[in-house]
Amino acid sequence: MTLDIKPRPTSPIVATWVRPGPLARAALPATWLLTRAGMVLLLMWDGLGAGGVAREAHGLYARWYGVLSHGTFPSGDPLWQYPPGAGPVLLAPGLIPGLTYFQAFVTLTLATDALVTYVLARGGREARGAWLWVAGLPLLLHLPLARYDVQVTAFAVLALLAFANSPRTAGVFAALGALVKVWPALALIGAPRGRATREAWGAALASAAALLALLAVAFDAPFAFLREQGARGVQIESLGGTGLMIARHFGWPGQVRYRYGAFEFVGPHVELVAAVSLGLTVAAFGVLLWWRARARVWSEATPYDAALCAVLMFTVTSRVISPQYLVWLLGLAAVCLTSRYTTQRPVAWLVLAAAALSALAYPVLYAEVMAGTWTGCAVMGARNALLLGGVLVSFRSLWKATKK
């Protein structure tokens, strides 16, 4: 059996490249500057809707920085639920002199955002990817500047765009991202079978082992996050949470409590909903393995498309669908659009719509979401329906393109 990994033929019109003029080349950076200035202003005000978006970086990240700077992970903190690679990311703002921790954190996030924009614009054959990232990230308002998900997404973007030239480099970037927030490991799910897969996964495992060993030597309690992660419940913004939110209107007696850094449901059958979510995550992984075993045709976009599909599956089945998860999906959708062979263009539109609704849910209407009003139910239901629809469209498109 042989795998067809040749790019699909293109028409002479599509293949013709016309050098953009000065105004066209300036449009993307100008849009980036304008939109990011608006995001910074919103962050400085931080009074939109529920407000307090910056609280996590102001307080929680700064507190963790104090602990990490003494050579230990926050092992006694129930809010610490991240792999050990998150430590260096949260320590990095302390390296910038003359700024407060929060100012340095936002500065590094903007710098990483600019890097993602640059590699999307220079590393892809289509400009649509860079434009989706530049125009799509502000749909989440100022939230991306106050979380470190932009940094995590950068690792996945770099990994995917490195595939064409160096699967080993792709593996290293995916491993670094996975040690910060796990999900970038899914960037390797679509690696073409054979040498590319062996090189990518070999480099990923080797670099992950090396970094883990280094962190284990440099810090105490690097694996404390596992205990806290396992205790997570059903967040009100998850797919299961939407079902429980609606059930409250029909007599379900559950309540919302702040636990483990998020608002979660407590009450009858919540553990069952959490177990079903975990079961669906396992099933999603099985479906991805089944797809990979049956796939026969690879194009240059297949690794991109498979990564977006995989992360969408794991997002939708998660017990926690925080609004910053949309940063991941926007980054992966942007990578897909850098290739003319992608099958995920409709999914990219669904992700953009879901991002806009996520910002409406948090912070704009978060009081309605927490109270579980019909307005809150409608917003969360619509956002999660878009993500679920994205999963179905994404997998169907990926399957059809690779089964031929």
Side-chain angles (χ1 to χ4, degrees):
M1 179 188 70
T2 59
L3 296 176
D4 179 8
I5 58 174
K6 297 179 181 179
R8 300 171 191 171
T10 58
S11 68
I13 295 176
V14 173
T16 301
W17 181 72
V18 178
R19 183 177 178 84
L23 289 178
R25 292 197 300 271
L28 185 68
T31 304
W32 187 91
L33 288 171
L34 182 63
T35 54
R36 273 46 180 183
M39 293 168 70
V40 170
L41 290 175
L42 280 175
L43 187 65
M44 292 171 62
W45 174 42
D46 201 18
L48 188 63
V53 170
R55 189 181 304 119
E56 193 158 325
H58 259 305
L60 188 60
Y61 291 176
R63 188 178 83 225
W64 285 342
Y65 168 80
V67 177
L68 290 162
S69 62
H70 288 88
T72 184
F73 285 94
S75 58
D77 190 337
L79 300 183
W80 179 256
Q81 302 153 13
Y82 306 106
V89 174
L90 295 175
L91 281 170
L95 301 176
I96 301 180
L99 298 178
T100 66
Y101 181 87
F102 179 71
Q103 291 169 341
F105 180 87
V106 174
T107 299
L108 286 178
T109 303
L110 285 168
T112 308
D113 173 18
L115 173 64
V116 171
T117 303
Y118 177 80
V119 297
L120 286 169
R122 294 299 298 270
R125 299 183 182 182
E126 297 284 325
R128 294 184 184 92
W131 274 107
L132 184 142
W133 174 258
V134 169
L137 200 64
L139 293 176
L140 293 169
L141 304 176
H142 49 306
L143 178 73
L145 300 183
R147 303 291 187 273
Y148 71 92
D149 294 272
V150 170
Q151 289 87 324
V152 181
T153 302
F155 284 115
V157 170
L158 290 168
L160 288 168
L161 291 177
F163 253 120
N165 297 319
S166 175
R168 289 191 178 93
T169 303
V172 171
F173 279 125
L176 293 176
L179 288 179
V180 178
K181 228 173 190 182
V182 181
W183 70 265
L186 295 171
L188 303 182
I189 193 72
R193 286 189 227 155
R195 181 177 178 180
T197 292
R198 292 193 298 272
E199 290 182 352
W201 280 103
L205 292 173
S207 54
L211 182 56
L212 276 176
L214 179 62
L215 291 172
V217 171
F219 295 91
D220 294 329
F223 302 106
F225 74 100
L226 293 171
R227 180 176 62 253
E228 307 303 342
Q229 185 62 241
R232 294 296 295 266
V234 178
Q235 188 181 357
I236 60 175
E237 294 160 282
S238 67
L239 192 63
T242 301
L244 293 173
M245 190 184 299
I246 295 172
R248 290 176 68 187
H249 288 274
F250 296 95
W252 180 67
Q255 300 295 323
V256 175
R257 295 285 184 270
Y258 185 77
R259 307 190 314 164
Y260 305 104
F263 287 96
E264 299 180 349
F265 280 110
V266 295
H269 313 302
V270 172
E271 291 184 359
L272 175 61
V273 173
V276 170
S277 296
L278 288 173
L280 289 173
T281 299
V282 173
F285 187 66
V287 169
L288 289 169
L289 293 179
W290 177 66
W291 161 77
R292 186 170 174 82
R294 300 291 298 274
R296 296 292 180 269
V297 181
W298 258 260
S299 75
E300 68 175 18
T302 301
Y304 311 161
D305 296 353
L308 176 58
C309 183
V311 175
L312 263 170
M313 284 184 172
F314 279 77
T315 297
V316 167
T317 59
S318 173
R319 295 169 294 170
V320 181
I321 309 182
S322 298
Q324 58 264 31
Y325 288 20
L326 272 296
V327 176
W328 317 346
L329 299 175
L330 286 169
L332 296 175
V335 174
C336 290
L337 294 192
T338 63
S339 172
R340 65 174 64 97
Y341 305 120
T342 184
T343 64
Q344 303 295 303
R345 289 187 184 88
V347 181
W349 286 108
L350 293 174
V351 168
L352 285 171
L357 282 175
S358 290
L360 188 61
Y362 180 82
V364 178
L365 295 176
Y366 203 53
E368 301 278 350
V369 173
M370 285 192 294
T373 65
W374 280 117
T375 299
C377 290
V379 172
M380 291 315 313
R383 196 281 301 268
N384 290 337
L386 286 170
L387 293 178
L388 182 58
V391 169
L392 300 176
V393 174
S394 179
F395 184 77
R396 180 176 181 272
S397 300
L398 181 65
W399 175 263
K400 289 177 64 177
T402 56
K403 191 66 170 64
K404 294 177 181 178

